[in-house]
Amino acid sequence: MATIVQPLQETLPTYNEVTRDVAATLGRPKKGYYVLLGVVLFVLAFGAGALLYQIRMGLGVAGYAPPVLWGVYITTFVFWVGIAHSGTLISAILYLFRSTWRTSVYRTAEAMTVFAVMTAGLFPLIHVGRIWYAYWLFPYPNQRQLWVNFKSPLVWDVFAVSTYFTVSTAFLIVGLIPDLAAIRDVSTGWRKKLYRITALSWQGTDQQWRHYTRAYLYLAALATPLVLSVHSVVSWDFAMSIVPGWHATIFAPYFVAGAIYSGVAMVVTLLVPLRKIFKVERYITTRHFDNLAKLLLLTGLIVGYAYGVEYFMAWYSGNQFERASFWNRAFGEYWWATWTMILCNGVLPIFLFFKKIRRSIPALFVLSLFVNLGMWFERFVIIVVSLSFEYEPYAMGHYTPTWVEWAILLGSFAWFFMWFLLFAKNFPTVSITEVKEITPMPRKRPVQA
Amino acid sequence: MTRRVLLSAGILTAAGALVFILGAPRGAAQGSPQQTGSADTVFEAPEISDTAALEGPRQPIFFRHDVHAGQYEIDCQYCHVNVEISPKPGIPTLSSCMNCHLIVGSGIAEVDSVRAYFNEGRAVEWVEVHVLSQFVHFPHHLHVNAEQDFDVVCEDCHGQVNRMPQIYQFAPLKMGWCLDCHKEKAVETGKPVSTDCSVCHY
Amino acid sequence: MSDGMNRRRFLKVLGVTGGGATALTGCSTDRVEKLIPYLVPPENEIPGLATYYASTCRECPAGCGLHVRVREGRAVKVEGNPSNPINQGRLCARGQASLQGLYNPDRVRSPMARVPGGGFEPISWDAALTRVAEQLATMPGDQVWFVTGKEAGAFDSLVSDWLAAIGSSNRIVHEPFAYEALRQANRTVFGVDSIPHYDFAAARHLVSFGADFLETWLSPVEQSLGFSSGHSYQSGEMGRYVHIEPRMSMTAMSADEWIAPVPGTEGLLALAMAHVIVRDQPAGVPADASRISSLLAEHTPAAVSARTGVAADVIERLAREFTQHASLAVAGGIGAQHAAADSTAAAVNLLNYVAGNLGRTVTFHTAQSPAGQGSYSGTVELVEAMRSGRVGALFIHGANPVHTSPTGLGLTPALANVGLKVSFARFYDETAMEADLVLPDHDPLEQWNDFEPRPGVHALQQPVMRPVFDTRQTGDVLLSVARQLGERVTRTLAANDYKEYVVGRWQALQRRLGDSRPFEAFWSESLQRGGIWVDEPTRQARLAATAGSVRGEVWSAPAGDQLTLIAYPSPAFFDGRGANRPWLQELPDPVTKVTWSSWIEINPATARRLGIAEGEFIEVTSEHGSVTVPAYLYPGIREDTVAIPIGQGHAAFGRYAENRGANVYHLLAANATGFGAVEHYVGVTLRNTKDHERIAKTEGNSRQMGRGIAQATTLQALANPEEHQEEHGDHAAPVPDHIEEIIDEWQEDQYHEWMQRGNYAREDLPRWAMAVDLSKCTGCSACVTACYAENNIPTVGPDLIRRGREMSWIRIERYFEDGAHGEIESRFLPMICQHCTNAPCEPVCPVFAAYHTPDGLNAQVYNRCVGTRYCSNNCPYKVRYFNWFDHQNEADAAYAWPDPLHWLLNPDVTVRVKGVMEKCTFCVQRIRDKQHQAKLSGDLLVDGDVVPACQQTCPADAIVFGDINDPDSRISQHARDSRGYHVLDGLNTRPAVTYLKKVRNIAEGEA
């Protein structure tokens, strides 16, 4: 259904305006941009330093306290993988469903996806004891005649994440081609060269368009199942084990919903400043935020429900270890983490029932921040709190992260934003082509009656 | 027990070697068949002028296996006594060198230096050629004794030592190489040969 | 290193071949390894094969026999000598740690002389000896004093001969735990100044009045073995053991009933029990018991009950039980050494007497037992002599009086008046720091010596390796000094060196034993056996005239807000001599599970009253001094009592001992008790300094939340099984049958797959398994230290332990349960890798580092491990330990084996690098070694061939290991035992470790 019932933009721009406005976002950066980039790079360097220190000294510099042998790193890994999800959802699934409002936001979401996966992918490496042997996790022919253990969910992870990274990257690049061509035609200097190469000499001929749309469609179809599979696999890292609080059948759907939830929240967090700075309010409107908020509401409710089910199952199973574990979650030494998570992810989204809040951008921005926080704590609770209260009472322990872990966590955010900043200044963050698709034809010729 | 037998065996070999060495002037090798084993060709260790060109690390004493094990056909285990009973092969003690070199080899520079070491009670610091990581356990005694069942001989891992003027690492000594042999032997002999990790790694 | 005593030189000295040397190369194969052959092959030593030398343990006066495992000229492990009648092959944690005395990096490496400015400088042996001789020549003989620890054998007589030769008789024996009270009591009651032999194996009913006979008292290993065979549950029967002490010691934790009377009144209970026995006159009461009925008259159960706080009917019951079976009562523990301890011990003697135990479970030898000679009053006498300037030269050997005497005694200031202070210490201990000359003695493992722990046991010590440092045996030092002093001295000291002196005594011994063989045969046989054991005649002890003088004296508890403080001996450090052994510092205290420090045990109720939380530093003040220690809340102690262990708080004594915890001797009275000992009870007040520190303990949660991890039952319940079912079962849901079937099938496939991979000595593969009998396990933790020694486990220090990062492969879990009558009940459970058949750790490892071997081991391939730690997350037993730091890297701060400590590394076991997971392997290196030998010799492994280090050393014989596929093996029988259970059975992990429930023998009327 390509016909547009009601245009998303309040005042309709022309094709030229679109190209101009978007191209403007790529204009010479102002001082603020460099300051921001500088800060990000500094934090990144700090995180990298912490990592080197950890590699030299050993994992002991992190706060691990047996039996808690997974901590902030795996928490953050799951967090970023989750972030990655909404991108593909918005760009691929909504595309297949022909929901047109996605056009001006999907590029941002997609870029976010790729960078989030790039960030997430670092953490399994950061967390292993001998990072210099991490490549052993890949099945490759070697003189030792050894193979990886395909029974291990960690190996599934390797495949899930790498696949997801490949596909979403391809999807992003393909989507960019026509836009790059458009900008190529308006830009000058070294950038022109850059875009000439990256645009793969796109001429916009009918044939190219035919191939392009097909390719895009197939990629979308290919990416869609990944949205569900990747985080299901990640959830099995936990669900496949026998740790009380991990070993639950609900984990896959629960994690996927949570992933999309956190992803959408991150999209909101990014779009709000972005549309201000880049002055693209015309393209990214309250209507978009309204829709995103609805998505938040839906997934948020699912997550809240999942929390409830977890506790119900713990009680209903009659398994004393499960019961003890969940009792400890709510009222044990980590109660604050648990309640933060429930408040941010379970309670706050309720407010999204109100249209006022859905359409108030400041409110949404604040709320999205809380959701990000809450989702990080969700993973923290699942991983750390469950491990700290397992089967063997004598071996229970207390885990408190050290500065190294915090530094590396911050560093990961810096890493993510570095890529995003570079991307935003060098590539169109709003899809020119697709926005044009939904703007009315320029009135060169009289309209047929 | 085993050891005593071994030693006496060793001493006999030594005696044999002595007789042979004393009987035949160095170089002119007229070994009688029962001493040279395969009667056809008698190996004669070459004179070596350029030791720098030789393979393998330089040792404090230029001990020539090709002379001892090759030309004089001294049994490996005359010097490497423990290899049949101990997981570690052990390096021959200087006293076992002196068993022969008290008498023979005068005038040869290297022999003199051996005697010097021995008389001054200095230890020879040989450079280890076949290095295994400490997390690999290679039981020599099992492999040396596997000749019967599995037809394993020293040369399989150490190469034609009796033709080496200077010892160098012949086999890669990598895990894959170990496994290959273990698998082949299992196929050849039809007897089980373990490829279980904890046989070598603990 | 400055003293040039580095690994390379060591190799030169000993001619170690590559094997030993590579123990430290970690994972790096690139560095050039040198191979250094022997010049001449040493007698019976083959590179790569271990040699065992018999010797004697000198870590405490018990004198257990040793077998020292030597590889490439280095002692790498000590084990008990099976033929020795005392320890019968077993060893305690202290004995296991003796290696760390030998290789201690803080040993005195050469003779040292004090520099006027302070501190020491090296001095040559000749110079040192001349200096001693010259000084001795200038002073009258009686100015020379000699302090030794408890010695019994050649050195003992040599010192006496030597002193006599230079005309002195000033011989002081400073042995902190000399059991003065016990000997005093024996003099009073039996007129014997000796310590009898207590037969714990024969005692079916045992009452301990504060004697920690499983920890330090007399001969712990021997007594553990005896106790375990006499008390543990066997085929429907077991002994009964009642412990009477205000504090629940580790020993008390093995008791069926723990009675905590008012501190210092346990003697009255003994008298009351005797009273009841004499009153009721059951069978077996000796005729002349009536002689003491007059002194017992006043001690009626009712009267005693009022003073002890123990109900009269309980006393009646104890007395009844005491005469029903062969019984034994013991007293005189150091932890109960209060002013009335002699009276207590005397009362217990009377109790034993009226119960007719003399000659049955308590036997005196005709020869005076050398056990526990000397007394604290000797040290007091020495100090007075020093004050009054009567001490010209003081020689100190094998004792550390500065640390182990009350501060009020003023030993240190008094030492200033001594012209020449010579210490033979092996370490810079507090006393050595005061000396003018330190002439380091050989380590017991480096020296010739003999030792007679009790009549009839003549144990030998022989050097098992070349001396590590430039030390010299004190016997030789004394002899060469004597030679320098000239003919007047050597006339009585003929021997040229100490070995000759020892041999001389043994020639005499051979004559005494009427052994007609040539001496060489006798000598070499004794050396191989570790000594010679003969039966000494015993004597029938009768009541002495003084027996009637026994009065029911009690220790007068302090008045007002003061609490009773008990200074009790540490099971790990003894009197403190073990404090410089990292293994012992890292060893969790069996009772509190605290490491690397000392603490004060306070009852939770008392703590609540005083507003004290665990870990808060408490200033403990007695009238003699004060110390500050962290609080540990312990339910196993009376509310009016607190306790601090002896042994920590060293001011010197090396990097591992210095400034850890507090020295409780600061609190104790300086003047000797009536029986000439230090009083270990004192009134104290507590002040909370509010400083706080997380206590470095390995315990997470002391309650098992009804998870049935450490299970127990009672003898009575075992008698009628239907009750038995209900006993503390694992409440986890049982596995449904159809699941069971599926898993069985899967397991079959797995097993066949494994069979393809493996080829071990037996055709039908073994399945290694272990059983631990909890009714025998006393929690002594000897297995833990043995495991450290065998498997190159690093010690990590207190900071890491606070984060739960201890590496110990064996975790002795200590759980508390509330008994039926509100009493506290404690249980031990040695938790090791369960080698599960369905091991949860295996499927989750992405690289097969954790996998199952064909012979049923849950193996860990260190060099394949990447360190994802998933295996440990998925291990319900939490028995996998991760290398957080690089403990094997000499350059790293976390290096666990500072030179020369690394010489004790076991060359058969990989030293793990940072970032890999490690765990118990059932001592796979021992299994493989035996399998190799079996292969070479062509015969099969038989049950008992493979013995893991923990089983080998267990003083209670609680561990059984073997092939469970062999239906006749001991392990199979144990696995079938009705008491057997698997921890967390509901998870269907199918562990290879079977635990046999602890059994309590409750009194009638209880439960």
Side-chain angles (χ1 to χ4, degrees), chain A residues 56 62 152 237 390 392 394, chain C residues 700 707 805 813 844 870 914:
Chain A
R56 163 69 187 83
S152 168
D237 286 348
E390 252 204 64
E392 191 74 14
Y394 187 89
Chain C
R707 296 184 174 187
R805 293 175 179 175
E813 304 191 340
V844 297
Y870 200 168
K914 85 178 161 203

Side-chain angles (χ1 to χ4, degrees), chain A residues 221-278:
Chain A
L222 193 61
T224 304
L226 288 178
V227 178
L228 303 179
S229 71
V230 176
H231 223 57
S232 304
V233 171
V234 170
S235 81
W236 291 335
D237 286 348
F238 309 104
M240 289 290 159
S241 81
I242 64 171
V243 177
W246 286 11
H247 185 58
T249 46
I250 193 182
F251 259 43
Y254 164 26
F255 267 52
V256 171
I260 295 166
Y261 185 47
S262 63
V264 175
M266 184 57 91
V267 174
V268 174
T269 319
L270 291 176
L271 280 180
V272 171
L274 184 118
R275 72 194 277 274
K276 273 258 168 297
I277 296 165
F278 285 166

Side-chain angles (χ1 to χ4, degrees), chain C residues 225-238:
Chain C
L225 275 164
F227 175 71
S228 117
S229 65
H231 176 264
S232 68
Y233 178 88
Q234 278 145 358
S235 54
E237 298 215 324
M238 74 181 287

Side-chain angles (χ1 to χ4, degrees), chain C residues 78-368:
Chain C
V78 294
E79 296 184 345
N81 174 353
S83 71
N84 184 298
I86 292 184
N87 58 322
Q88 300 157 46
R90 311 320 175 103
L91 221 50
C92 70
R94 293 191 301 277
Q96 287 288 347
S98 54
L99 269 186
Q100 291 197 322
L102 171 65
Y103 293 132
N104 197 294
D106 300 316
R107 269 183 76 177
V108 184
R109 303 185 172 206
S110 70
M112 303 297 261
R114 175 169 301 287
V115 190
F120 292 99
E121 69 184 359
I123 175 176
S124 79
W125 274 107
D126 296 344
L129 295 182
T130 330
R131 194 158 136 196
V132 174
E134 281 166 356
Q135 297 229 25
L136 284 184
T138 62
M139 72 179 65
D142 64 357
Q143 289 263 311
V144 181
W145 291 60
F146 207 117
V147 179
T148 67
K150 186 210 151 189
E151 290 288 342
F155 187 69
D156 188 39
S157 62
L158 175 72
V159 172
S160 307
D161 296 356
W162 187 81
L163 279 175
I166 60 174
S168 162
S169 60
N170 305 324
R171 168 81 189 279
I172 304 293
V173 173
H174 177 87
E175 185 67 33
F177 304 162
Y179 310 104
E180 297 92 340
L182 205 48
R183 280 149 54 213
Q184 173 67 38
N186 293 344
R187 276 195 297 273
T188 324
V189 177
F190 303 120
V192 187
D193 182 6
S194 178
I195 290 186
H197 177 253
Y198 299 96
D199 189 345
F200 283 76
R204 301 301 289 168
H205 189 279
L206 175 64
V207 182
S208 168
F209 294 81
D212 57 334
F213 60 89
L214 297 176
E215 293 161 82
T216 62
W217 188 73
L218 297 182
S219 185
V221 176
E222 180 181 16
Q223 286 147 195
S224 301
L225 275 164
F227 175 71
S228 117
S229 65
H231 176 264
S232 68
Y233 178 88
Q234 278 145 358
S235 54
E237 298 215 324
M238 74 181 287
R240 177 163 155 76
Y241 163 35
V242 179
H243 191 92
I244 300 173
E245 195 179 3
R247 168 181 176 271
M248 189 197 267
S249 64
M250 183 201 102
T251 308
M253 285 182 165
S254 297
D256 300 295
E257 187 177 1
W258 169 53
I259 296 173
V262 174
T265 63
E266 58 276 18
L268 294 178
L269 288 172
L271 289 173
M273 286 168 68
H275 172 99
V276 175
I277 292 170
V278 173
R279 185 195 66 200
D280 301 353
Q281 285 294 326
V285 176
D288 59 350
S290 51
R291 273 179 50 198
I292 51 168
S293 49
S294 57
L295 77 88
L296 294 177
E298 59 176 296
H299 301 295
T300 63
V304 168
S305 168
R307 298 177 63 187
T308 58
V310 180
D313 59 337
V314 173
I315 300 176
E316 295 272 356
R317 194 189 77 224
L318 291 176
R320 262 201 319 283
E321 292 170 343
F322 199 69
T323 46
Q324 277 163 2
H325 310 280
S327 60
L328 169 63
V330 291
I334 301 303
Q337 189 164 287
H338 45 70
D342 57 337
S343 156
T344 308
V348 170
N349 279 348
L350 292 178
L351 175 60
N352 274 325
Y353 190 80
V354 297
N357 293 341
L358 268 293
R360 277 160 60 199
T361 52
V362 183
T363 39
F364 283 93
H365 287 99
T366 326
Q368 199 245 355

